[in-house]
Amino acid sequence: SRKMVFSCHPAKNAVAERTCASSIMERLGTRAYRRPLTAKDKEGLMRFYDQGAKNGGFEEGVRMGLQAMLASPYFVFRFEPLPANAVVGKDIQISDIDLASRLSFFLWGSIPDETLLNLAKTNQLSKPATLQAQVTRMLKDPRSDALASRFAGQWLRLQDLDKVHPDAYLFPDFNQQLADGMIKETELFFNSIVKENRSVLDLFSANYTFVNEELARHYGIPNVSGDQFRRVNYPDSTRRGILGQGSILVQTSLANRTSPVLRGKWVMEVLIGMPPPPPPPNVPSLDEAPEGKDGRPLTTRERMELHRKNPTCKACHQYMDPIGLSLDNFDVTGRWRYRENAVPLDTKGTYYDLTPVATPSDLSRVLLKRPVPLMRNFAENMLAYATGRRMEAADQTLIRQITSKAAADNYKFAAFVMGTVNSPVFRERRVEAVVADESKDKHEQKHQQYDETNKQR
C-alpha cells in the first residue's frame, strides 16, 4: 500500500514535496472520487496536506490529505451531478463518468479502472459498440467474481446458511468448514456461468459442480482428494444445478429435520418469483402434530398431511408442498437419503399444472418446461441489483423486453447483462424537485447568532 500511495519520493525541500504531494492527491483522488478532480477538489485536499506537513513533514501531510479524501462525501457517496438544463420530473441520460461508476459497481462491485475512466472522459463509453466491448472485457476480468459473491449471494440468499445450525447429535459430520465449502461451491458454479457465458438455464440443469475432498465425500462423489475446489461431473442424476447444492438445501431446513414447506417456498419466491401469501394467524406449526398411533415419530410428510387437513392451510400448501417434497430425499445437510425415521420416504406429489413430481430431476424438468417465469425473475433480480432499488409495476414491461431479447440468444448470461446495461433505468435518472429544508435554515441561523454573541464577548 505504501508503494501505491507514494508514487514519488521528493527531495527534502518544501517546493518538491508539495509538487509530489499534489500529484499523489490528484492520482488517488481520481480513483477515490471516481472522476477527474476539479480545481476546488485539489485545493481542498492540498489544504489538508499543508496542515499536516506543517506539523509533521511530508508523510504526515500526505496522510492527512488521504484522511480528508476518505472522509469526503464524494468518496462515501456516488453523486451524479445534474446538467444545467435539467427539467424537474423528466428523465435525463447520465454522463459517461457516472455510467463508468454504475457499470463498475454492477459488474465488479468496485471502482472503475483507468480504461473506463479514460473512455468516459472523452465521452466514448456510452457509444453502443464501445459499451458492449467494455462489458465483454469486464465480464472476463477476475473482478467479475463479485457477481457471484454479491449478486448471486443476495439473490439466492446464501447468507441465510449461517442461520441454520444442524443438530450436532443427529448430524455430527456437519461443521463450519463444510458450510463455507457449500457457499464457495455455489459461487464457483455461478462464476462458471458468467465466465463461460453459458445459458442461465444451466443454473437449473447443469450436470456439474465444484467440490473439494470434504464436500465430495459429503455428496458421495468419488475420486476427489485435497482441499482445492475443482469442477466435477455428477456421477448420477440425483443432483442437478443449484437445487442439488448444500448451500440451498441447508438454508431451507430446520436444525433437526427437513422442511418441504421452506424448500417449496424458497423455490417459488427466489427462483419463480411468485411468493405464496403469508400464513394466516394462529395456524399450528408442523412440530405440534401428534405422534403416530404406535408411538413412532411421524415423518415430515405425515405431519404435512395432518397440517393440510385445515382448508385454510391447504390453499397455499397444495402449491408449495409438492415442490419441497421432491427435494426431500436430501436431508438437513444436503446428503442423499432414502428413509426418514426408519420409514421409506414418500416424495410423490403433483405440480400445479398436474405434472407428477417425485425427485429433484422431476422438479428441474417441470421448471424448465416453462422457462419464461424463471428468466423474467432472474432479469428482475439482476436489474434490481444493478440499479440499487426494487422493481415496481412500471418496470415489468422493461423486464419482459430484456427477457425476450435474451431468449433470442438462448438466455446467455451476457445477454441479460447487456439488456440491463442498455435499459433506461440503468442509463437514465429522474430529476427530482429540491425542497428547501426550513429546519436546516433555522439551525444555521442559531449558529450565526451564537457566533455573533461570541464575537461581542
Side-chain angles (χ1 to χ4, degrees):
S1 59
R2 272 190 66 87
K3 290 179 180 179
M4 290 190 68
V5 172
F6 294 102
S7 54
C8 52
H9 303 277
K12 290 190 176 182
N13 66 76
V15 176
E17 287 179 345
R18 202 173 192 283
T19 301
C20 173
S22 179
S23 69
I24 290 174
M25 292 297 113
E26 182 169 6
R27 178 174 54 84
L28 295 181
T30 300
R31 289 172 57 83
Y33 298 169
R34 303 167 295 282
R35 59 171 174 76
L37 297 189
T38 64
K40 188 177 180 180
D41 294 328
K42 297 176 189 176
E43 180 185 349
L45 293 174
M46 289 306 295
R47 193 180 301 124
F48 281 96
Y49 164 79
D50 292 336
Q51 182 180 343
K54 180 179 179 181
N55 299 325
F58 171 70
E59 290 201 8
E60 181 65 18
V62 171
R63 183 183 69 81
M64 186 164 286
L66 287 177
Q67 284 182 324
M69 190 185 298
L70 299 180
S72 168
Y74 296 112
F75 172 74
V76 180
F77 301 102
R78 284 162 52 189
F79 293 112
E80 295 178 345
L82 294 172
N85 60 348
V87 179
V88 173
K90 299 292 185 180
D91 293 334
I92 60 167
Q93 190 161 345
I94 61 174
S95 69
D96 278 34
I97 290 292
D98 295 331
L99 178 59
S101 281
R102 286 195 182 189
L103 201 57
S104 65
F105 280 100
F106 169 33
L107 299 179
W108 288 347
S110 184
I111 61 175
D113 62 1
E114 288 188 12
T115 302
L116 282 176
L117 286 178
N118 289 336
L119 289 170
K121 289 175 189 176
T122 56
N123 295 322
Q124 299 294 312
L125 183 59
S126 57
K127 292 184 176 180
T130 304
L131 184 60
Q132 183 164 357
Q134 287 306 304
V135 168
T136 302
R137 175 183 74 88
M138 294 175 74
L139 288 175
K140 293 179 179 179
D141 191 282
R143 282 170 285 190
S144 66
D145 291 354
L147 282 168
S149 58
R150 294 164 68 94
F151 166 59
Q154 292 176 26
W155 171 43
L156 301 176
R157 305 177 182 177
L158 299 184
Q159 70 277 4
D160 287 353
L161 183 63
D162 291 334
K163 300 177 183 178
V164 180
H165 303 283
D167 192 308
Y169 292 100
L170 299 176
F171 309 100
D173 295 333
F174 191 86
N175 53 50
Q176 188 60 47
Q177 289 79 8
L178 190 60
D180 294 341
M182 289 174 174
I183 292 179
K184 186 170 184 179
E185 173 196 14
T186 303
E187 291 177 352
L188 291 173
F189 175 71
F190 191 86
N191 267 332
S192 72
I193 304 289
V194 176
K195 292 294 192 297
E196 299 171 21
N197 192 23
R198 301 174 70 92
S199 171
V200 177
L201 294 175
D202 285 3
L203 288 170
F204 309 93
S205 62
N207 65 343
Y208 68 90
T209 190
F210 292 80
V211 294
N212 60 2
E213 181 178 357
E214 183 180 25
L215 194 55
R217 188 187 312 117
H218 188 75
Y219 288 164
I221 300 175
N223 305 321
V224 178
S225 61
D227 294 332
Q228 183 180 359
F229 278 76
R230 78 291 311 267
R231 177 171 172 164
V232 299
N233 289 332
Y234 288 125
D236 51 49
S237 62
T238 55
R239 296 180 191 270
R240 284 291 183 272
I242 56 175
L243 292 175
Q245 295 180 3
S247 62
I248 309 303
L249 299 167
V250 175
Q251 67 163 292
T252 53
S253 298
L254 302 176
N256 59 347
R257 65 169 177 83
T258 59
S259 176
V261 175
L262 289 179
R263 288 179 177 175
K265 180 175 180 289
W266 187 93
V267 170
M268 292 181 68
E269 215 168 53
V270 176
L271 301 184
I272 306 177
M274 297 173 60
N282 303 321
V283 174
S285 67
L286 292 180
D287 292 325
E288 295 179 30
E291 301 297 338
K293 295 179 180 179
D294 55 358
R296 173 185 57 81
L298 295 178
T299 64
T300 301
R301 179 166 193 130
E302 290 170 335
R303 291 173 185 270
M304 291 170 61
E305 295 294 343
L306 289 173
H307 187 75
R308 284 199 296 181
K309 286 184 178 180
N310 185 333
T312 306
C313 300
K314 185 177 181 179
C316 295
H317 282 273
Q318 64 180 335
Y319 301 111
M320 289 188 295
D321 292 356
I323 296 174
L325 282 171
S326 67
L327 299 172
D328 206 37
N329 277 113
F330 296 114
D331 71 6
V332 171
T333 65
R335 269 182 169 158
W336 188 261
R337 62 177 182 167
Y338 294 97
R339 295 174 177 273
E340 181 187 12
N341 298 336
V343 177
L345 282 168
D346 180 8
T347 59
K348 296 183 180 68
T350 304
Y351 198 60
Y352 72 86
D353 65 354
L354 303 183
T355 302
V357 288
T359 66
S361 297
D362 292 341
L363 179 60
S364 295
R365 280 193 295 271
V366 78
L367 289 174
L368 293 174
K369 188 165 67 173
R370 294 180 178 85
V372 174
L374 300 174
M375 296 299 96
R376 282 184 183 171
N377 180 61
F378 180 80
E380 180 174 348
N381 278 276
M382 177 174 282
L383 200 57
Y385 173 79
T387 58
R389 69 169 177 84
R390 291 182 181 274
M391 294 294 101
E392 301 171 354
D395 300 308
Q396 294 306 313
T397 300
L398 174 60
I399 291 167
R400 289 195 292 270
Q401 291 173 352
I402 293 173
T403 307
S404 297
K405 289 181 180 179
D409 196 19
N410 194 28
Y411 297 116
K412 293 289 183 65
F413 186 86
F416 283 98
V417 173
M418 285 307 305
T420 299
V421 169
N422 286 319
S423 66
V425 297
F426 189 82
R427 301 284 297 275
E428 299 174 357
R429 60 168 295 191
R430 176 65 54 89
V431 181
E432 304 290 350
V434 179
V435 181
D437 188 349
E438 296 181 1
S439 62
K440 180 180 178 182
D441 294 339
K442 292 179 180 178
H443 185 69
E444 290 178 350
Q445 290 175 5
K446 287 182 179 180
H447 273 284
Q448 290 174 0
Q449 293 172 0
Y450 179 77
D451 291 340
E452 290 295 330
T453 303
N454 281 341
K455 287 179 183 179
Q456 293 172 5
R457 288 176 180 174

